[in-house]
């Protein structure tokens, strides 16, 4: 008699949004991310090589459709990432697919949960990329909690040094502030973006969430006026540049959390600027040579891989 096949359970986007919308979830996620990094650096987490499609060195995606959202304006940033891994001795392993970037009109994605004992697909999370966004935001919050200057924790918003700099105005720039609110008391923000309309909308939206937000004319302005900078763009050339004048003008403790450079060739920091840091921290030392803000600094021999410390 043929055995009846059991289908995997499906968790919808609506169900996921209801769960992740609470403050308790955000705090639990930051704590879980912390435990994950500790596990990885101790050898307990098994991370497979990342697959990135649609971005250099691979060919861009075709079939952009007829919608004006897909017009080729020279700002192609679309990509699909496949990430997977598991904790040794745990019950499950996970495969995640996440897509996003211009000219895609929206982020998309899902997560697949498999049993380590049977290899059977047990659950599909139809999250449309939201869990990826929140995980990334939680990492940013954790990095700030562990490494950001103490002036941000004190919450003296009258102190000129009490300021967060946001490079970019997209969805991750919003999630970063939402999760930072759980670990720092500072509520002053300066933002830079390429498009004036997007900057204005970002200021309006984040002001409504309780932040004191203003704009700056150039990314360099963030270096001299903020104690924490979060970079969230898809740039492939340095936006925060190293100059002798900038180096001399940074007299205060400064932490930079680099989020946007998630694929080979992406870059938001001048490699020379990265080389001036007192401490270089990465999520994964093995990946840092092939993607991330230290990729070019390592290639130019401005820093040594041994000098990069894992967050865990």
């Amino acid at each position: 008699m043929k055995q009846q096949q059991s289908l995997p359970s499906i968790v919808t986007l609506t169900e996921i949004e209801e769960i992740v919308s609470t403050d308790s979830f955000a705090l639990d996620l930051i704590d879980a991310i912390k435990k994950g990094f500790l596990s990885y650096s101790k050898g307990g987490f098994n991370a497979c090589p990342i697959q990135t499609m649609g971005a250099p060195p691979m060919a861009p995606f075709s079939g952009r459709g007829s919608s004006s959202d897909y017009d080729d304006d020279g700002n192609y940033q679309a990509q699909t990432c496949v990430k997977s891994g598991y904790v040794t001795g745990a019950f499950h392993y996970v495969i995640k697919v996440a897509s996003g970037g211009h000219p895609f009109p929206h982020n998309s994605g899902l997560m697949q949960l498999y049993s380590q004992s049977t290899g059977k697909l047990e659950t599909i999370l139809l999250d449309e990329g939201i869990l990826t966004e929140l995980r990334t935001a939680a990492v940013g919050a954790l990095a700030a909690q562990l490494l950001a200057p103490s002036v941000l924790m004190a919450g003296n918003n009258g102190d000129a040094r009490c300021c967060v700099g946001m490079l970019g105005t997209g969805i991750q720039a919003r999630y970063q502030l939402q999760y930072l609110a759980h670990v720092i008391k500072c509520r002053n923000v300066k933002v830079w973006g390429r498009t004036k309309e997007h900057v204005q909308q970002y200021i309006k939206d984040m002001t409504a969430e309780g932040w004191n937000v203003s704009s700056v004319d150039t990314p360099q302005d963030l270096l001299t006026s903020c104690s924490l900078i979060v970079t969230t763009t898809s740039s492939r050339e340095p936006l925060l540049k190293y100059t002798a004048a900038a180096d001399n003008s940074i007299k205060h403790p400064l932490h930079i959390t680099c989020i946007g450079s998630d694929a080979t060739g992406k870059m938001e920091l001048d490699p020379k600027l990265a080389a001036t840091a007192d401490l270089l921290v990465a999520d994964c030392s093995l990946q840092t040579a092939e993607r991330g803000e230290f990729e070019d600094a390592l290639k130019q021999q401005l820093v040594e891989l041994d000098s990069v410390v894992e967050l865990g």
Side-chain angles (χ1 to χ4, degrees):
M1 183 175 179
K2 188 175 181 180
Q3 185 177 7
Q4 186 175 4
Q5 181 182 13
S6 60
L7 297 176
S9 61
I10 296 177
V11 184
T12 66
L13 176 60
T14 300
E15 293 171 318
I16 291 171
E17 288 178 327
E18 183 177 349
I19 294 171
V20 305
S21 61
T22 64
D23 288 343
S24 61
F25 175 85
L27 293 170
D28 288 344
L29 180 57
I30 293 170
D31 186 59
I33 290 292
K34 180 179 180 179
K35 292 176 181 177
F37 278 118
L38 287 170
S39 176
Y40 176 79
S41 291
K42 290 179 180 179
F45 182 80
N46 305 274
C48 302
I50 298 173
Q51 299 179 54
T52 303
M53 295 180 283
M58 302 186 77
F61 290 132
S62 59
R64 301 181 187 182
S66 58
S67 169
S68 60
D69 287 332
Y70 288 83
D71 288 344
D72 187 358
D73 58 4
N75 189 34
Y76 175 88
Q77 299 291 349
Q79 65 179 32
T80 293
C81 293
V82 181
K83 298 181 180 180
S84 55
Y86 59 97
V87 176
T88 302
F91 294 108
H92 298 95
Y93 62 92
V94 176
I95 299 175
K96 182 202 78 169
V97 182
S99 301
H102 184 77
F104 289 163
H106 307 288
N107 290 349
S108 184
L110 56 80
M111 294 190 182
Q112 306 164 48
L113 190 68
Y114 293 83
S115 167
Q116 282 198 34
S117 59
T118 67
K120 182 178 177 60
L121 174 62
E122 294 188 350
T123 303
I124 300 174
L125 303 168
L126 300 176
D127 72 306
E128 292 294 345
I130 285 180
L131 294 177
T132 291
E133 299 286 1
L134 296 182
R135 175 192 58 81
T136 304
V139 174
L142 177 62
Q145 186 181 54
L146 297 175
L147 301 169
S150 59
V151 66
L152 298 164
M153 312 304 172
N156 180 6
N157 289 296
D159 188 332
R161 299 171 303 156
C162 180
C163 187
V164 177
M166 189 62 63
L167 195 66
T169 59
I171 185 65
Q172 187 55 220
R174 296 157 190 269
Y175 281 130
Q176 285 292 323
L177 281 192
Q178 290 172 6
Y179 270 63
L180 278 173
H182 295 288
V183 298
I184 67 173
K185 294 182 179 179
C186 175
R187 291 297 181 268
N188 297 327
V189 179
K190 293 183 179 179
V191 60
W192 177 87
R194 291 186 178 91
T195 307
K196 182 179 179 180
E197 292 75 18
H198 292 172
V199 170
Q200 291 174 339
Q201 188 62 50
Y202 183 86
I203 292 174
K204 179 181 178 181
D205 293 344
M206 303 320 294
T207 298
E209 295 190 16
W211 297 86
N212 308 313
V213 191
S214 60
S215 63
V216 295
D217 295 329
T218 71
Q220 296 300 108
D221 294 331
L222 301 179
L223 285 173
T224 56
S225 61
C226 298
S227 294
L228 166 63
I229 299 174
V230 184
T231 67
T232 65
T233 76
S234 54
S235 178
R236 291 186 173 273
E237 59 183 27
L239 297 174
L240 292 174
K241 297 180 171 61
Y242 172 83
T243 65
D247 190 32
N248 292 330
S249 63
I250 301 174
K251 304 296 185 183
H252 57 287
L254 171 62
H255 170 73
I256 304 177
T257 298
C258 305
I259 299 296
S261 53
D262 59 354
T264 299
K266 287 189 176 182
M267 181 192 308
E268 297 176 286
L269 265 62
D270 187 330
K272 293 180 181 178
L273 181 63
T276 66
D278 296 318
L279 179 64
L280 300 173
V281 181
D283 49 2
C284 170
S285 59
L286 290 177
Q287 291 178 6
T288 203
E290 65 180 37
R291 63 184 67 223
E293 289 301 340
F294 307 150
E295 178 188 354
D296 270 43
L298 289 166
K299 289 179 180 178
Q300 297 178 32
Q301 298 183 332
L302 297 172
V303 301
E304 299 291 333
L305 185 59
D306 290 344
S307 67
V308 179
V309 180
E310 287 188 344
L311 188 61

